[in-house]
Amino acid sequence: MTRYDVAIVGGGPAGLNAAIVLGRCRRSVVVIDDGQPRNYAAREIHGYLGIEGVSPWELRQLGRREAARYGVEFIDAQVTRACTLACGDGNSRRDAFELSIADRPAIRCVKLLLATGVKDRLPEIAGLGDFYGVSVHHCPYCDGWEHRDQRIVALGAGPAAVGLALSLRTWSRQIVACTDGLKLAEADRQRASRNGIAIRQERAVRLEGTQGRLERLHFDAGPPLPCDALFFASELVQRSRLPSMLGCECDERGLILTKGKQGSGIPGLFLAGDADGDVQFSIVAAAEGAIAATAINRELQDEQRGEG
Ligand SMILES: Cc1cc2nc3c(=O)[nH]c(=O)nc-3n(C[C@H](O)[C@H](O)[C@H](O)COP(=O)(O)OP(=O)(O)OC[C@H]3O[C@@H](n4cnc5c(N)ncnc54)[C@H](O)[C@@H]3O)c2cc1C
């Protein structure tokens, strides 16, 4: 059994920033991460103050180095189970959670931060993996600038394609909404047409291009569509089962509900980053990590004074 003041599951921007703040508060902290970040395919992170264009892996390395300076420990592994502990027998400290990791002793902690992120359900189109992160994206804020004034496909199920296409008009006037085999209602067609957006309603089946650069989208019928980039309407799922295992509540989009300063409503359990995120940017995830860390430290301070 290994014990820490704080265990952080997830070593992305949210978990790492929380670790830095808590390490600097002289807390014993462990970060456990199994190396499956949401942005695994991205080459650069955009919109991150001071280190614009840094690669996701470089940001993680920078964060780890910084946190290690303050005594934060790292375990590269998956947490397979988490449970809350009752006070009393066998739990003489104030430990509130126990984490299980395969082939390692269990970890106990007073406070637990889940920064476990989400994953995107990618569209099922042949060849998509070759282009994802270079010319296929889901977030116009993250990658729209790089494709400004280019020929962009907005792919989504029916009306979702039109919604995404309307948003992408901020970055280019050459937008085609692709509804992936679904027919649009007349109102959606007219809305697209009023805004200069072309429509394709066939099912998207294959991407073609070279070295990650998209050149054409092929459909199950009709001619291929020449294009430079494709954005898709993303569906999200939680990366980890740990939040639901511990009883966290989700909203209708599957994001974890938080209360106050990144609290979960479950004593001692906090959340940060995309898992509960609204604006899902790396810098916002990092900021939520800092907010959670200050709330955690305040609770530990109160409890140490016997006021918690
Ligand atoms: C292709 C792409 C491009 C993007 N580009 C940008 C951009 O340019 N700018 C920007 O601001 N944002 C961008 N984003 C969004 C950004 O990736 C997220 O906002 C950010 O990664 C969220 O950080 P996080 O710490 O919450 O989660 P993540 O970075 O996803 O980290 C979560 C970590 O938790 C770990 N984990 C989960 N469960 C467990 C478990 N049970 N045990 C151990 N470890 C676990 C995972 O392995 C992962 O490493 C992009 C996203 C994608 C998909």
Side-chain angles (χ1 to χ4, degrees), residues 9-16 32-48 60 75 77-81 115-118 120 132-133 136-139 141-143 239-242 272-275 279-286:
V9 187
L16 288 173
I32 309 144
D33 185 80
D34 65 358
Q36 299 187 65
R38 180 181 185 189
N39 57 358
Y40 68 91
R43 308 253 170 116
E44 297 182 339
I45 295 177
H46 300 290
Y48 202 114
R60 283 178 168 235
I75 298 174
Q78 185 174 64
V79 176
T80 52
R81 190 171 156 272
T116 43
V118 295
D120 298 279
Y132 186 43
V136 170
H137 313 278
H138 76 282
C139 170
Y141 293 94
C142 301
D143 298 291
R239 167 76 61 191
S240 166
R241 291 184 307 116
L242 298 178
D274 280 9
V279 176
Q280 294 182 326
F281 292 170
S282 296
I283 202 161
V284 175

Side-chain angles (χ1 to χ4, degrees), residues 294-308:
T294 57
I296 288 170
N297 187 54
R298 231 172 280 139
E299 282 194 5
L300 290 170
Q301 288 171 333
D302 289 348
E303 288 165 15
Q304 279 166 343
R305 286 194 300 267
E307 294 169 5

